[in-house]
Amino acid sequence: MKINIYYGGRGLIDDPTLYVLEKMEDVLDELHVTVETFRLHELKNGITTLPQTLKNADGIILATTVEWYGIGGFMQQFLDACWLYGDKEKISRIYMCPIVMSTTYGEQDGKLNLATAWEILGGLSCDGLCGYIADMSILEDNEDYLRIIEKKAENLYRTINQKMPCLPASNQAINQKISMPRNIDLTPQESEQLSQYASDDSYVQRQKADIQELTSLFRDMMGNNEKDNENEFLEELKTHFKPQAGFAAKYKIVIEEKKKPLVIEVDGAKLNCFYGEGSNFDVEIQVNRASMAGIITGAVTFQRLFMAGDMKMKGDFKVLRSLDEIFIF
């Protein structure tokens, strides 16, 4: 298990948030959790690249200190970068624990802001920790406070390890309907340059003309490829089919680059697979052509592809797992 800590304070010696994070790290180390800390004030010139560090994390801690008002500029920059450049599919599987200590008023608002922001991003929010600490000695000399911090770290580990479900949040519902932007694989500098091109009308018109020309040029070629690929993967599936006695299931595989879904019907030793429509599927899968080709060549399995997040599915997971037993590549 790997947990990333993103600290948005100023790194002051008497910062109570740093004390809380230190105690939580001690507990996580004892639980054999890999912890990596990113101090945003030390990485302020590269905050926009930090969403890439989320890809290997099972959970994260967003920690900041309220010194006068709000969660602070560094943390806000990081959340903005997650919105613009983060992998929303990966974020949707990451648990986040907000930690907000305050030397003035506003720790509860800060904790709520972090939880709300993460939910809008599509992530999973855990119960966090917040407190008003006017003097560090109050925190350091109180054994009860230490037990609360340690318990919070244990709960975070338990939540991630057991993959505890979260109830749907209205923030996520609104986000799915109106707020979700397209994922863009651009740096801020590239985005700015692209906006300059977009404002140049003559450049835009030239690009449209080029696209139309290319579309016309390759239309026939694409049509021929569609005809050639009508039976793609079917022969390989039939060749590598290993029937299981008493097993029957119906699969629908939507391959992004193909117009019709791939339907696989299994009933004992009988196999029927074709491109077309159907109903009453036990499992529905969505995958791209390259990933499907990887399965056919034996590079990956259906289950491994799903666990890596490169394949979406709906239905019975046990029936999905059976695909790797009846098709041996």
Side-chain angles (χ1 to χ4, degrees):
M1 181 187 298
K2 186 174 189 294
I3 294 178
N4 289 352
I5 297 176
Y6 299 90
Y7 166 70
R10 294 191 295 144
L12 302 178
I13 295 177
D14 59 347
D15 189 337
T17 304
L18 290 176
Y19 175 83
V20 173
L21 292 178
E22 179 184 350
K23 298 306 177 184
M24 292 187 72
E25 283 188 63
D26 291 342
V27 175
L28 294 173
D29 286 340
E30 292 177 1
L31 295 170
H32 305 291
V33 176
T34 301
V35 179
E36 186 172 3
T37 301
F38 300 88
R39 298 195 173 199
L40 303 184
H41 67 282
E42 297 176 353
L43 304 167
K44 54 188 176 182
N45 293 328
I47 287 179
T48 54
T49 65
L50 288 181
Q52 301 300 319
T53 62
L54 294 170
K55 292 186 175 180
N56 297 321
D58 300 296
I60 68 170
I61 296 174
L62 295 183
T64 191
T65 306
V66 178
E67 295 185 88
W68 78 282
Y69 182 78
I71 60 175
F74 295 133
M75 182 59 70
Q76 188 63 58
Q77 278 184 266
F78 173 70
L79 291 171
D80 287 345
C82 289
W83 175 257
L84 293 172
Y85 310 109
D87 184 341
K88 305 302 188 302
E89 182 67 24
K90 175 61 180 175
I91 289 175
S92 68
R93 300 190 298 273
I94 298 178
Y95 291 88
M96 187 280 294
C97 176
I99 304 295
V100 180
M101 296 292 113
S102 171
T103 58
T104 182
Y105 172 80
E107 71 282 354
Q108 293 185 0
D109 290 341
K111 174 187 168 186
L112 178 60
N113 288 342
L114 291 179
T116 301
W118 194 250
E119 288 175 355
I120 292 176
L121 285 167
L124 305 169
S125 184
C126 304
D127 185 28
L129 182 67
C130 67
Y132 167 67
I133 308 296
D135 188 340
M136 272 293 294
S137 61
I138 298 175
L139 191 60
E140 294 173 337
D141 299 335
N142 193 309
E143 292 295 326
D144 291 333
Y145 293 164
L146 178 59
R147 282 193 289 272
I148 291 173
I149 296 170
E150 291 176 342
K151 191 67 176 178
K152 191 63 63 176
E154 293 171 1
N155 289 340
L156 175 61
Y157 171 81
R158 189 176 298 109
T159 299
I160 299 174
N161 188 51
Q162 298 179 3
K163 298 188 182 301
M164 292 184 179
C166 298
L167 289 173
S170 58
N171 295 326
Q172 294 176 342
I174 294 173
N175 171 47
Q176 292 170 0
K177 291 181 179 179
I178 63 174
S179 301
M180 183 64 75
R182 296 178 180 176
N183 285 336
I184 52 176
D185 298 323
L186 300 175
T187 66
Q189 293 79 10
E190 290 171 336
S191 298
E192 182 179 355
Q193 186 178 16
L194 185 60
S195 67
Q196 293 174 356
Y197 285 135
S199 64
D200 185 345
D201 186 64
S202 61
Y203 176 82
V204 173
Q205 294 302 322
R206 286 200 306 273
Q207 294 302 305
K208 288 182 177 180
D210 290 343
I211 291 172
Q212 291 177 353
E213 183 178 351
L214 288 171
T215 301
S216 176
L217 180 63
F218 290 106
R219 183 178 291 115
D220 293 337
M221 185 182 300
M222 292 295 289
N224 292 334
N225 287 340
E226 283 294 327
K227 294 179 181 179
D228 293 340
N229 292 334
E230 285 180 354
N231 297 318
E232 188 176 21
F233 306 133
L234 298 184
E235 190 61 36
E236 290 86 348
L237 290 169
K238 294 176 182 178
T239 303
H240 294 82
F241 177 57
K242 304 296 180 183
Q244 302 288 326
F247 178 76
K250 194 173 180 181
Y251 301 90
K252 175 182 178 181
I253 303 178
V254 177
I255 303 174
E256 296 175 1
E257 292 84 351
K258 292 187 176 294
K259 295 180 180 180
K260 296 181 180 179
L262 172 59
V263 177
I264 300 176
E265 298 175 340
V266 180
D267 187 0
K270 297 179 181 179
L271 171 66
N272 184 27
C273 50
F274 59 91
Y275 287 98
E277 300 297 334
S279 59
N280 300 323
F281 296 103
D282 297 291
V283 172
E284 296 185 23
I285 297 171
Q286 183 176 347
V287 70
N288 60 38
R289 182 183 176 278
S291 296
M292 188 65 189
I295 293 173
I296 295 298
T297 58
V300 293
T301 63
F302 285 98
Q303 183 177 352
R304 187 182 302 174
L305 208 61
F306 174 73
M307 299 302 292
D310 295 325
M311 182 179 76
K312 298 179 182 179
M313 69 83 67
K314 181 172 66 175
D316 191 333
F317 181 73
K318 291 182 179 179
V319 179
L320 169 68
R321 192 167 52 188
S322 298
L323 275 172
D324 293 321
E325 298 174 0
I326 60 176
F327 294 106
I328 308 298
F329 294 103

